[in-house]
């Protein structure tokens, strides 16, 4: 098997991958993409995050998201799906939407891909008011992101809001505010956390 990220040929599978599920990363890349579980305090709520936004994580995420390498979708939750399924049992997944433009460019929803290995049901009905894109925006634009989500997915007991990255937390705050009136119990999860980038 070839490592989907570095392309190195992997001769020996680990016992775990033979017995359980095969990993699309070679042991070196897997070692680099280490799970660093953290609880990030975003003021009104906390978010669980699994990876530090280091150069390897960033590079794999970019290859998947921006170079449209859809095959990489399963590498992120390889060690985590069972844990998330158990911890958030009964929660519906609500993905933070990308801009329409980005989604069209990619041809797939990157979050749905990553989280498709879970057994949690998906909740629809969240959209952006304006086509704002997160990357490279200044504080004013990020502030607008906070009021840029409309939720029309109805009432639910438990919702898990999911995003790939926490930078300033503005989009997660925006989504959180838009769903809160309709949901009894809201939890927040992000794949990664970019250190020292939080602004209140
Ligand atoms: Zn590799």
């Amino acid at each position: 098997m070839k490592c989907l990220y570095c392309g190195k040929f992997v001769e020996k599978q680990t016992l775990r991958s033979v017995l359980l599920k095969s990993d699309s990363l070679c042991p070196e890349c897997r070692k680099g993409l280490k799970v660093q579980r953290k609880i990030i305090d975003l003021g009104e709520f906390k978010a669980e995050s699994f990876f530090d936004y280091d150069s390897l994580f960033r590079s794999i995420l970019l290859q998947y998201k921006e170079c449209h390498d859809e095959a990489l979708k399963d590498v992120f939750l390889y060690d985590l799906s069972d844990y998330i399924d158990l911890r958030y049992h009964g929660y519906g997944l609500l993905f933070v939407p990308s801009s329409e433009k980005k989604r069209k460019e990619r041809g797939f929803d990157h979050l749905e891909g990553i989280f498709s290995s879970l057994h949690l049901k998906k909740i629809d009905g969240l959209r952006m008011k304006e086509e704002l894109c997160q990357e490279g925006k200044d504080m004013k634009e990020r502030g607008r992101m906070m009021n840029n989500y409309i939720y029309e997915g109805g009432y639910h007991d438990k919702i898990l809001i999911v995003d790939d990255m926490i930078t300033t937390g503005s989009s997660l705050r925006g989504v959180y505010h838009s769903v809160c009136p309709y949901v009894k119990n809201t939890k927040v999860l992000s794949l990664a956390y970019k250190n020292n980038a939080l602004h209140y």
Side-chain angles (χ1 to χ4, degrees), residues 21-35:
K21 51 185 172 183
S22 63
D23 193 357
S24 318
L25 291 182
C26 70
E28 280 96 307
C29 290
R30 177 54 63 195
K31 218 172 139 194
L33 192 71
K34 222 173 31 202
V35 174

Side-chain angles (χ1 to χ4, degrees), residues 165-194:
M165 278 275 301
I166 298 176
T167 44
T168 63
S170 57
S171 38
L172 283 173
R173 282 196 191 90
V175 172
Y176 186 84
H177 282 153
S178 70
V179 306
C180 257
Y182 306 96
V183 182
K184 275 192 202 148
N185 202 336
T186 307
K187 301 249 189 231
V188 180
L189 184 150
S190 169
L191 265 193
Y193 166 54
K194 198 172 180 181

Side-chain angles (χ1 to χ4, degrees), residues 2-8 10 24-30:
K2 258 170 90 178
C3 171
L4 277 188
Y5 176 66
C6 73
K8 207 172 91 178
V10 187
S24 318
L25 291 182
C26 70
E28 280 96 307
C29 290
R30 177 54 63 195

Side-chain angles (χ1 to χ4, degrees), residues 42 48 58 72 79 95 146 157-158 164 166 182 185:
L42 289 165
E48 180 165 18
R58 180 171 178 272
L72 282 167
D79 276 329
F95 299 110
M146 270 188 69
D157 276 346
K158 294 173 171 182
D164 54 353
I166 298 176
Y182 306 96
N185 202 336

Side-chain angles (χ1 to χ4, degrees), residues 68-81:
H68 315 146
D69 192 349
E70 210 179 337
L72 282 167
K73 73 182 174 69
D74 292 324
V75 308
F76 301 97
L77 297 192
Y78 173 69
D79 276 329
L80 291 163
S81 343

Side-chain angles (χ1 to χ4, degrees), residues 95-156:
F95 299 110
V96 173
S98 304
S99 74
E100 191 63 34
K101 185 172 163 269
K102 282 272 176 195
R103 213 165 37 229
K104 279 204 177 117
E105 271 170 27
R106 283 183 198 125
F108 64 98
D109 185 299
H110 73 288
L111 286 174
E112 279 187 35
I114 291 172
F115 288 87
S116 62
S117 61
L118 300 182
H119 294 93
L120 307 177
K121 66 170 190 220
K122 184 186 163 236
I123 308 276
D124 293 310
L126 182 66
R127 61 184 170 87
M128 283 171 139
K129 276 187 218 167
E130 276 180 86
E131 288 288 308
L132 297 175
C133 172
Q134 274 274 13
E135 287 114 48
K137 298 292 181 196
D138 59 22
M139 285 301 292
K140 205 175 139 202
E141 287 278 292
R142 286 183 180 276
R144 279 170 64 206
M145 289 294 293
M146 270 188 69
N147 301 309
N148 198 36
Y149 295 97
I150 299 177
Y151 174 72
E152 296 167 324
Y155 291 93
H156 291 277

